[in-house]
């Protein structure tokens, strides 16, 4: 089958959930037997979001091939199980860089380089995935930002051209907002009409409209929008706030979004949709009523900052028949004096990843308390490093132990930079990024949880466990149960004497999906659930 292209744009306001809608579309097309990939185009100048503060942009999601990307790629992977790559995340910065590099190389010799056609051609090339050898049935392209933004104009122009060139092989799904005015007790469609007008003024006619709303939209409103916006009535669907984002694909399916989409692409609607495993998950979700409380010890209160960790814990809870209530614990406020009170009522603790020294002493205090009180603890990346430092300070007897990231002069740098990292001065894209192999120790807990000796997990960090201290850790009970077979770097530490005290240098949360939850998260929650 010739690849079809779906462009997802958004209007009126940001944060409408274009990522969830794109991921849901991917899921629904997969359920009909199609192969799908989903990509995100972001209109900012950063090459990637790796250098952005989580407060600005939420979590940075990392792909197998080591690209630091937007958190929407996490939704794509969790909903569909696809593996995204660096080709699935494109920013204006990357587009311009590649055009400017070509200009310097002399690829356009003699020409004036302009937004149209040079920048738009570069965008089109990537939207079409010309360099991707894989032949997908569908490529879904989500464009970040809101219609009318100055910076997204070249993306819109590229979509306009592609729509024209591809004919029936391309459709535009436009997401807008229908606000409810309390004082008037009315739902208002005017912003949607304006947003569609804006899109039309750029030469793009939407095929499908997804209306985000807090209240149920009646048939009358949907018809009104359809007729004002030149869209077929069956191509207007509503996306109401739902208790869980994982209900969205089913809600879209119920309203016939996938069928409307196929019809617009002049495709036969053959197979029935197979959503069985997804429906099973939703059933488990609805049935999971018993609550467990897990602390997230970190420095960002923002929901999106630890998005994949939150979702991984959530999903693992559902498969264990429980509702995981996540309690944010600000590591900056933790002290030896207040830790017992701050962790009261929490059945397990995740020590979160992070960069820089803010809040790390609190993470060390938390690691100390949970280790000595045998509270199930999962340290991820910086969290694992803090477990290692705590152990050095309180068990190995090095009171001044630290990571060289936080204290370059420490005499006991139990977390240190690898030799090969020392010469690097650039901040962007220079960490240990992406998938690396890890060999698990026979007889260890993690070995049995993964059910495999050799695994692969994704990384995003500069500093490493310092192997000079490895024997001392082993002798005192913190075991290095996962090691990179090529570089001998420690990837997982565990204290087997505790019920569940595991730290991973990698980020397991990037690989946990709805239909394939991660074994470490599953067992962490299972352990908590079984504690009486
Ligand atoms: N700051 C630490 C490092 O660079 C940990 C990074 C992280 O938690 N992702 O090694």
């Amino acid at each position: 089958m010739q690849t079809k292209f779906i462009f997802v744009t958004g209007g009126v306001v940001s944060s409408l959930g274009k990522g969830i809608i794109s991921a849901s579309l991917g899921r629904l097309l997969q359920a009909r037997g199609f192969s799908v990939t989903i990509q995100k185009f972001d209109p900012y100048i950063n090459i990637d979001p790796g250098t952005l503060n989580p407060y600005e942009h939420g979590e940075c999601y990392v792909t197998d091939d080591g690209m630091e990307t937007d958190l929407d790629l996490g939704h794509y992977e969790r909903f569909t199980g696809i593996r995204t790559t660096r080709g699935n995340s494109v920013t204006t910065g990357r587009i311009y860089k590649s055009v400017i590099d070509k200009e310097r190389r002399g690829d356009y010799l003699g020409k004036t380089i302009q937004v149209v056609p040079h920048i738009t051609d570069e965008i089109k090339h990537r939207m079409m995935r010309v360099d991707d050898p894989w032949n997908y049935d569908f490529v879904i392209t989500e464009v970040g930002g809101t219609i009318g933004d100055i910076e997204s104009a070249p993306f819109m122009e590229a979509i306009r051209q592609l729509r024209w060139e591809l004919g029936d092989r391309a459709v535009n799904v436009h997401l807008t907002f229908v606000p409810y005015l309390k004082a008037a007790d009315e739902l208002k469609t005017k912003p949607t009409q304006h947003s569609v007008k804006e899109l039309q003024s750029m030469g793009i006619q939407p095929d499908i409209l997804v209306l985000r709303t807090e209240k149920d939209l009646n048939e009358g409103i949907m018809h009104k929008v359809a007729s004002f916006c030149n869209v077929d009535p069956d191509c207007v669907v509503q996306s109401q706030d739902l208790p869980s984002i994982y209900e969205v694909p089913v809600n879209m399916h119920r309203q016939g979004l996938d069928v409307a989409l196929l019809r617009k692409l002049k495709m036969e609607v053959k197979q029935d949709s197979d959503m069985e495993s997804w429906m099973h998950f939703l059933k488990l979700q609805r049935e999971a009523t018993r609550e467990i409380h897990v602390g997230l010890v970190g420095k960002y209160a923002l929901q999106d900052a630890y998005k994949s960790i939150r979702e991984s814990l959530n999903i693992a809870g559902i498969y264990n028949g429980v509702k995981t209530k996540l309690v944010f614990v600000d590591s900056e406020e933790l002290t030896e004096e207040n830790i017992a009170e701050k962790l009261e009522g929490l059945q397990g603790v995740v020590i979160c990843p992070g960069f820089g020294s803010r809040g790390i002493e609190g993470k060390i205090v938390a690691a100390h308390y949970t280790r000595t009180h045998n509270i199930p603890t999962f340290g991820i990346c910086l969290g694992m490093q803090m477990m290692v430092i705590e152990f050095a300070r309180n068990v190995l007897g090095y009171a001044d132990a630290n990571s060289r990231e936080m204290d370059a002069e420490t005499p006991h740098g139990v977390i240190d930079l690898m030799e090969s990292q020392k010469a690097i001065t650039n901040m962007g894209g220079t960490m240990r990024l992406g998938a690396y192999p890890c060999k698990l120790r026979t007889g260890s807990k993690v070995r049995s949880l993964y059910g495999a000796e050799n695994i692969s997990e994704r990384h995003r960090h500069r500093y490493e466990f310092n192997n000079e201290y490895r024997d001392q850790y082993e002798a005192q009970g913190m075991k290095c149960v996962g090691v990179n077979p090529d570089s001998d770097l420690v990837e997982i530490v565990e204290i087997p004497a505790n019920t569940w005290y595991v730290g991973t240098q990698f980020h397991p949360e990037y690989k946990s999906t709805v239909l394939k939850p991660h074994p470490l998260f599953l067992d962490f929650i299972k352990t908590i659930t079984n504690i009486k």
Side-chain angles (χ1 to χ4, degrees):
M1 155 179 162
Q2 255 193 327
T3 306
K4 314 274 188 209
F5 297 86
I6 301 172
F7 299 104
V8 181
T9 54
V12 184
V13 287
S14 59
S15 304
L16 289 178
K18 277 192 305 253
I20 305 287
I21 292 293
S22 304
S24 299
L25 278 174
R27 179 74 247 161
L28 289 177
L29 291 167
Q30 283 180 327
R32 291 182 177 276
F34 296 112
S35 67
V36 174
T37 194
I38 317 179
Q39 51 186 359
K40 174 98 192 258
F41 281 60
D42 268 312
Y44 50 77
I45 315 282
N46 303 58
I47 295 288
D48 60 48
T51 50
L52 288 176
N53 184 322
Y55 279 122
E56 294 252 338
H57 207 73
E59 156 188 292
C60 180
Y61 186 80
V62 179
T63 59
D64 264 341
D65 65 348
M67 180 81 193
E68 297 175 276
T69 73
D70 186 85
L71 58 77
D72 274 327
L73 272 79
H75 291 311
Y76 306 162
E77 292 207 8
R78 279 189 291 278
F79 274 66
T80 64
I82 59 170
R83 288 278 170 259
T84 55
T85 65
R86 55 185 56 240
N88 293 64
S89 174
V90 178
T91 64
T92 293
R94 273 182 82 195
I95 299 282
Y96 271 81
K97 183 162 191 318
S98 119
V99 169
I100 291 167
D101 286 348
K102 283 185 195 166
E103 187 273 334
R104 290 289 83 182
R105 266 203 319 264
D107 292 10
Y108 311 107
L109 226 48
K111 293 268 183 302
T112 307
I113 313 305
Q114 295 178 297
V115 173
V116 183
H118 300 99
I119 295 296
T120 47
D121 278 354
E122 186 71 29
I123 296 172
K124 282 163 70 183
H125 187 90
R126 288 167 191 253
M127 282 180 168
M128 298 273 295
R129 299 188 72 89
V130 177
D131 299 330
D132 188 341
W134 198 259
N135 186 34
Y136 303 99
D137 296 331
F138 284 90
V139 173
I140 301 173
T141 300
E142 178 194 346
V143 179
T146 312
I147 290 298
D149 291 349
I150 292 176
E151 49 264 64
S152 58
F155 291 134
M156 295 305 143
E157 171 58 13
I159 293 177
R160 186 195 66 76
Q161 291 182 20
L162 284 175
R163 290 283 311 276
W164 179 249
E165 289 162 23
L166 292 165
D168 289 341
R169 288 173 60 202
V171 286
N172 171 259
V173 176
H174 189 57
L175 197 68
T176 72
F177 182 48
V178 178
Y180 168 69
L181 290 191
K182 209 163 147 210
D185 187 26
E186 264 185 87
L187 286 150
K188 292 293 185 188
T189 64
K190 195 68 92 194
T192 293
Q193 295 177 42
H194 278 298
S195 162
V196 171
K197 245 190 217 150
E198 181 94 39
L199 199 58
Q200 286 165 338
S201 75
M202 295 174 175
I204 302 172
Q205 168 61 40
D207 298 282
I208 294 189
L209 291 176
V210 179
L211 310 179
R212 282 284 284 128
T213 170
E214 285 166 18
K215 291 204 166 236
D216 186 48
L217 303 178
N218 59 39
E219 278 298 308
I221 292 183
M222 311 272 275
H223 265 93
K224 183 174 163 190
V225 170
S227 61
F228 274 124
C229 300
N230 299 347
V231 175
D232 298 336
D234 69 328
C235 290
V236 182
V237 297
Q238 60 172 313
S239 176
Q240 236 184 306
D241 290 348
L242 294 170
S244 152
I245 52 172
Y246 302 118
E247 304 268 359
V248 176
V250 179
N251 181 28
M252 292 297 116
H253 177 62
R254 215 179 283 129
Q255 297 180 72
L257 177 64
D258 45 343
V259 173
L261 200 80
L262 295 177
R263 190 174 64 72
K264 277 283 160 195
L265 289 162
K266 305 271 188 302
M267 292 174 73
E268 236 182 297
V269 183
K270 278 191 285 198
Q271 306 103 302
D272 261 356
S273 178
D274 175 12
M275 290 288 280
E276 205 177 312
S277 39
W278 195 268
M279 295 308 270
H280 173 67
F281 170 79
L282 293 183
K283 182 169 170 283
L284 292 179
Q285 177 168 260
R286 271 177 234 125
E287 286 169 0
T289 45
R290 189 186 134 199
E291 289 184 357
I292 55 159
H293 293 86
V294 175
L296 280 186
V297 177
K299 61 180 174 182
Y300 300 109
L302 194 82
Q303 284 279 337
D304 278 352
Y306 307 112
K307 189 75 193 165
S308 295
I309 293 179
R310 284 177 180 271
E311 291 307 320
S312 301
L313 290 165
N314 229 338
I315 293 167
I318 290 164
Y319 282 104
N320 278 295
V322 294
K323 200 181 223 161
T324 313
K325 288 271 166 202
L326 297 174
V327 180
F328 174 71
V329 182
D330 187 346
S331 59
E332 275 193 285
E333 288 174 6
L334 293 179
T335 61
E336 291 288 357
E337 290 68 46
N338 68 15
I339 184 77
E341 176 202 331
K342 294 271 186 190
L343 298 188
E344 206 189 322
L346 300 178
Q347 289 133 298
V349 167
V350 173
I351 308 182
C352 292
F355 292 85
S357 56
R358 185 162 70 85
I360 63 143
E361 289 302 324
K363 285 183 175 169
I364 295 171
V365 166
H368 183 210
Y369 185 84
T370 58
R371 179 177 63 79
T372 49
H373 290 77
N374 197 19
I375 297 169
T377 310
F378 197 169
I380 299 177
C381 208
L382 184 72
M384 169 268 200
Q385 297 177 352
M386 295 305 116
M387 283 173 154
V388 167
I389 294 169
E390 186 279 317
F391 200 83
R393 289 186 186 176
N394 298 309
V395 180
L396 304 186
Y398 304 127
D400 50 10
N402 214 328
S403 160
R404 291 217 194 273
E405 179 182 6
M406 320 303 170
D407 178 3
E409 306 303 324
T410 175
H412 296 103
V414 291
I415 301 293
D416 203 350
L417 220 48
M418 274 186 304
E419 274 310 314
S420 59
Q421 296 270 52
K422 287 184 180 157
I424 296 172
T425 49
N426 264 6
M427 290 302 271
T430 54
M431 284 182 269
R432 183 145 82 103
L433 287 166
Y436 283 87
C438 171
K439 194 171 170 191
L440 305 175
R441 182 177 294 175
T442 311
S444 64
K445 183 211 295 287
V446 288
R447 169 72 183 79
S448 77
L449 292 180
Y450 275 95
E453 185 180 10
N454 292 295
I455 58 156
S456 165
E457 291 279 7
R458 298 182 200 170
H459 293 247
R460 182 178 184 240
H461 56 101
R462 280 196 181 82
Y463 293 82
E464 306 283 353
F465 181 100
N466 185 343
N467 273 334
E468 275 176 35
Y469 295 91
R470 192 141 135 198
D471 291 346
Q472 297 180 48
Y473 278 91
E474 287 280 345
Q476 297 292 327
M478 182 175 262
K479 307 286 182 185
C480 303
V481 289
V483 172
N484 182 312
D486 308 320
S487 59
D488 201 34
L489 291 168
V490 173
E491 310 282 34
I492 312 178
V493 294
E494 189 203 345
I495 300 182
N498 278 28
T499 304
W500 216 100
Y501 199 84
V502 176
T504 61
Q505 185 57 83
F506 51 78
H507 290 262
E509 71 274 22
Y510 294 143
K511 281 182 81 170
S512 197
T513 71
V514 170
L515 297 183
K516 239 177 130 201
H518 194 285
L520 292 184
F521 284 100
L522 277 179
D523 193 65
F524 175 61
I525 298 290
K526 184 173 165 199
T527 305
I528 294 173
T529 309
N530 289 338
I531 294 173
K532 291 283 169 283

